[in-house]
Amino acid sequence: MTDLFTTIITSPVAKMAGVPQPTRLRRYEPGGPLCDGPVLVAGSGPYVAELRQWVGAAGIALAEANDAATDKIGAIVVDLSDATDPGQLELLRTLGPAVKRLRTNGRVVVVGTDPTTLTDPAHVATQRALEGFVRSLGKELRAGATANHVLARGTASDGLRSAVEFFLSGRSAYVDGQVVRIDETRGSNPTGEQPLAGKVAVVTGAARGIGAEIAKVLARDGATVVAVDVPAAGEALAAVANQVRGTTLPLDVTSPEAGATIVEHARSRHGGLDIVVHNAGITRDKLFVNMDESRWQSVMDVNLRSILRMNEAILGEGGLGDGGRVVCLSSMAGIAGNRGQSNYAASKAGVIGLVTATAAAVADRAITVNGVAPGFIETEMTARIPFATREIGRRMNSLQQGGQPRDVAETIAWLVQPGAAAVNGQVIRVCGQSMLGA
Ligand code: NAD
């Protein structure tokens, strides 16, 4: 979705006049390479050998730190998960020349250990330092390059592989400066073009915007999709369902029977339920002092209370099977707050709370519950924001552009893969490393 301003600043005349141009982000294409160019694997940690092996298995060449022959590299993966003393962080500094050699849309992935699992102050400090490094580097990288951080644990190498591959790939185009924690040892090899084959996925709010894109990406990855939206969205919903060869379920998510109806539809029409994406959401903005009851209640009902209520059926007897996946849409507003959005921000912060608590409650069934918090995504919702505010929102991130609905969809499609079983109870920002709430 482009508007007049974007058309003007990306016009040939603007380019000739030297107006800074946002880099075209490398986005995932089935069958395409995992990443664009050789990968430098560095570090002293226990995963270095496996990381090299995975890069090789993906058909990508390994780069050497001082190899002048490979002048441009696609990604740098550093394993410092063994570092116990700040002195060992010097290794990061020596990677400066390699960072200079990163190609457009390059990637830096730093593997560490979750500091909350450690006790020795120097050890904790060293591991926590990695996060500060990654977040700063993300802000310095240019030309669509990103830096992200994976917290590995023990022998959880399947989960680590899945996360590293996500960050190297075009699936993570608009995910920058983020930390993903690998919790468990479960997980399976995530590679393959149809990781969701045989899965039944329900997407709410699927008639348009981000929800329609989630439906398309999950179907592309092999899932059978049930597209849910309000009855009034009937035609648009049918068009999405036709496109993904799925079924429609016209339904208001705030209705008391919504959860049971979803479970019943998935079971009777498709034989089961594996994935639920709670995407339906609304905004009813007003400064807090002028906030009326209807704006407050409707936003809380659609964005938060409906998910709590639907989850009772979805996670109850006869709902999601073991190994099921739930993903909830939060928002940057729920992390940073936003003027005029006290109702929306409260509902989306509430979603983060429900993700954390629900994930813990269902972990023993191998079900995962995660969230994604989009920043500025180009949709009808954001097209309605007044011009000046919209331009600020769009540019105030490390990638200097708004994200596409597909960027949110790709992150969700990764979280629901069998290979991402080790990621649970987390909220991943898809915001190009927004300066808000950073
Ligand atoms: P959108 O308004 O384009 O689409 C939302 C869809 O949800 C619509 O099809 C609508 O009919 C449906 N819906 C609303 N109420 C419903 C109900 N009661 N029952 C069933 N369906 C209902 O919005 P979007 O921009 O695609 O946003 C999708 C999600 O992402 C929302 O939860 C939103 O809060 C979140 N989000 C969006 C952005 C962004 O930049 N667009 C940023 C952060 C978070």
Side-chain angles (χ1 to χ4, degrees):
M1 188 177 289
T2 50
D3 59 16
L4 184 60
F5 182 81
T6 306
T7 308
I8 292 169
I9 71 147
T10 55
S11 66
V13 176
K15 283 178 188 164
M16 272 165 51
V19 175
Q21 299 295 310
T23 301
R24 179 187 277 272
L25 300 183
R26 173 173 64 94
R27 294 190 164 90
Y28 174 75
E29 291 298 337
L34 177 65
C35 96
D36 195 10
V39 177
L40 171 65
V41 178
S44 50
Y47 305 106
V48 167
E50 273 176 299
L51 287 163
R52 286 173 175 268
Q53 210 182 323
W54 300 333
V55 169
I60 307 287
L62 288 163
E64 294 305 324
N66 305 312
D67 180 5
T70 15
D71 58 326
K72 286 288 180 194
I73 53 182
I76 302 170
V77 183
V78 196
D79 178 11
L80 277 171
S81 60
D82 65 329
T84 55
D85 180 272
Q88 290 166 272
L89 301 175
E90 166 68 7
L91 186 124
L92 293 172
R93 199 198 54 74
T94 66
L95 292 172
V99 170
K100 271 196 193 155
R101 286 159 58 202
L102 272 182
R103 280 193 175 146
T104 299
N105 284 304
R107 296 284 192 267
V108 176
V109 182
V110 176
V111 180
T113 295
D114 184 352
T116 64
T117 63
L118 308 171
T119 50
D120 174 66
H123 196 177
V124 175
T126 305
Q127 289 300 323
R128 190 66 178 73
L130 294 176
E131 184 179 331
F133 169 78
V134 168
R135 290 192 193 277
S136 297
L137 185 61
K139 290 182 177 175
E140 289 185 16
L141 292 174
R142 286 290 169 260
T146 63
N148 290 287
H149 191 26
V150 184
L151 302 178
R153 186 180 265 190
T155 56
S157 59
D158 284 343
L160 175 63
R161 178 177 188 171
S162 177
V164 170
E165 288 187 350
F166 168 69
F167 283 128
L168 290 180
S169 78
R171 285 187 187 269
S172 64
Y174 202 59
V175 182
D176 194 6
Q178 293 303 293
V179 183
V180 165
R181 196 182 61 243
I182 303 302
D183 279 334
E184 306 286 345
T185 51
R186 45 172 205 246
S188 56
N189 187 344
T191 48
E193 304 240 313
Q194 295 252 290
L196 306 181
K199 306 285 183 195
V200 178
V202 171
V203 182
T204 69
R208 67 177 203 193
I210 295 173
E213 208 55 37
I214 298 167
K216 289 175 200 164
V217 170
L218 296 187
R220 179 204 67 197
D221 284 356
T224 300
V225 173
V226 177
V228 175
D229 211 300
V230 286
E235 233 172 85
L237 187 63
V240 172
N242 281 344
Q243 203 182 341
V244 303
R245 295 165 189 264
T247 53
T248 57
L249 180 54
L251 171 88
D252 185 330
V253 294
T254 63
S255 80
E257 294 77 34
T261 308
I262 284 172
V263 170
E264 155 57 21
H265 178 98
R267 291 225 165 266
S268 61
R269 298 287 297 274
H270 305 291
L273 177 61
D274 304 289
I275 297 162
V276 176
V277 183
H278 292 295
N279 163 79
I282 58 169
T283 49
R284 296 288 183 270
D285 298 355
K286 204 74 173 166
L287 287 178
F288 177 66
V289 290
N290 301 325
M291 183 73 65
D292 53 78
E293 188 186 348
S294 135
R295 279 190 170 83
W296 182 270
Q297 292 296 359
S298 57
V299 166
M300 284 296 170
D301 277 348
V302 176
N303 296 1
L304 181 59
R305 297 178 70 204
S306 73
I307 304 180
L308 286 164
R309 203 179 305 117
M310 284 188 283
N311 275 357
E312 284 175 25
I314 288 163
L315 297 168
E317 188 76 33
L320 269 189
D322 286 0
R325 297 277 185 277
V326 177
V327 182
C328 303
L329 269 284
S330 178
S331 165
M332 278 302 299
I335 295 169
N338 205 12
R339 185 180 149 84
Q341 290 200 314
S342 57
N343 53 351
Y344 182 74
S347 72
K348 293 296 186 180
V351 166
I352 296 174
L354 93 80
V355 162
T356 320
T358 315
V362 296
D364 60 349
R365 294 165 58 193
I367 291 174
T368 67
V369 182
N370 290 291
V372 290
F376 188 100
I377 304 297
E378 309 281 358
T379 64
E380 286 178 43
M381 194 187 253
T382 48
R384 285 197 301 268
I385 299 172
F387 171 77
T389 321
R390 187 171 70 232
E391 270 318 303
I392 293 167
R394 185 179 271 155
R395 313 271 162 215
M396 272 186 60
N397 57 73
S398 295
L399 297 172
Q400 298 170 321
Q401 59 192 289
Q404 296 296 324
R406 202 177 130 193
D407 299 327
V408 181
E410 294 285 8
T411 301
I412 292 171
W414 168 60
L415 285 169
V416 302
Q417 283 184 9
V423 180
N424 191 25
Q426 298 183 50
V427 177
I428 298 177
R429 286 164 42 173
V430 184
C431 65
Q433 198 178 25
S434 169
M435 306 296 168
L436 303 174

